[in-house]
Amino acid sequence: MIEAYKSDWQNYSIEQLQYINAKGVWTICQMYDHLIAVAHEYLDNVELCAKAEAEHGLGKTEFGERLYRNGGFPPIKIKLPDEMNAPPNNQDSMEKLTTRLDHVKNRLQEWEWKVGAINPNLKVKHGGFGWLNAQEWHDLVGMHFHHHLRQKAELELHIENGKKEYTKY
């Protein structure tokens, strides 16, 4: 999925990736920054699970159970509380975003071979989903990338509409 995200932005200039459609609406660059930052957070939690010494019998929240039962996020926009919703970076170049995405991809691949061997009772708490083990944290990276595909399509549509408006003048 990461390669698909990377190849899609080749159609746009950096100005288009940083295009602000409306106040409070992220740019594609900001969405990528968010995806990368969250992926590293989730992978850091995979690592914490691997290093944990104490088992937790605690489980997921109701939303967490539903998320994993359905294999992904519901098709809705999710608004985080303001204290967790700082605007993502909108200044990265394509080269920097590519490097950062490659780093996520490498970390995912590194853990892909290890998560199955980590005790599933070694868990780290997610604020909304409850106690997740290493495999669940690892899976959450892909679910999160998949969840943002609709947002990406919306943002690309804004860019396309902006291109059409620009060519009218």
Side-chain angles (χ1 to χ4, degrees):
M1 177 157 310
I2 289 175
E3 287 304 316
Y5 269 89
K6 280 175 40 180
S7 68
D8 286 349
W9 74 38
Q10 304 306 318
N11 301 319
Y12 301 104
S13 67
I14 191 66
E15 292 80 16
Q16 291 168 324
L17 289 174
Q18 295 173 349
Y19 173 71
I20 298 172
N21 176 55
K23 184 178 168 93
V25 176
W26 286 354
T27 66
I28 290 181
C29 185
Q30 287 175 306
M31 183 197 66
Y32 275 84
D33 181 72
H34 167 76
L35 286 167
I36 292 164
V38 170
H40 282 300
E41 177 188 332
Y42 293 170
L43 291 167
D44 289 347
N45 286 322
V46 169
E47 192 169 339
L48 287 174
C49 288
K51 292 178 179 178
E53 296 178 8
E55 292 187 8
H56 289 282
L58 302 170
K60 296 181 221 34
T61 62
E62 182 180 329
F63 187 76
E65 287 291 345
R66 197 170 340 120
L67 176 81
Y68 283 90
R69 187 173 48 254
N70 295 335
F73 291 85
I76 59 170
K77 291 184 179 184
I78 298 172
K79 175 125 170 78
L80 295 173
D82 288 340
E83 64 273 6
M84 295 176 63
N85 206 21
N89 178 16
N90 195 34
Q91 300 303 310
D92 278 354
S93 66
M94 287 183 170
E95 294 79 17
K96 176 123 186 198
L97 286 170
T98 299
T99 300
R100 292 177 64 208
L101 271 176
D102 285 341
H103 187 228
V104 169
K105 181 180 170 184
N106 291 339
R107 284 187 76 194
L108 270 170
Q109 288 173 338
E110 175 187 334
W111 281 107
E112 187 174 351
W113 305 107
K114 300 176 186 177
V115 291
I118 299 170
N119 180 343
N121 292 317
L122 299 174
K123 300 178 182 181
V124 173
K125 187 175 184 183
H126 182 283
F129 308 142
W131 291 88
L132 306 178
N133 64 36
Q135 183 68 61
E136 292 164 333
W137 280 108
H138 189 270
D139 294 345
L140 195 55
V141 175
M143 285 191 266
H144 189 239
F145 269 85
H146 190 267
H147 173 69
H148 279 276
L149 286 173
R150 270 190 346 280
Q151 179 187 20
K152 185 169 126 343
E154 281 181 28
L155 294 172
E156 288 172 341
L157 185 61
H158 292 307
I159 289 171
E160 285 300 319
N161 289 338
K163 276 195 230 179
K164 290 175 189 164
E165 291 297 318
Y166 183 72
T167 57
K168 287 181 183 177
Y169 299 103

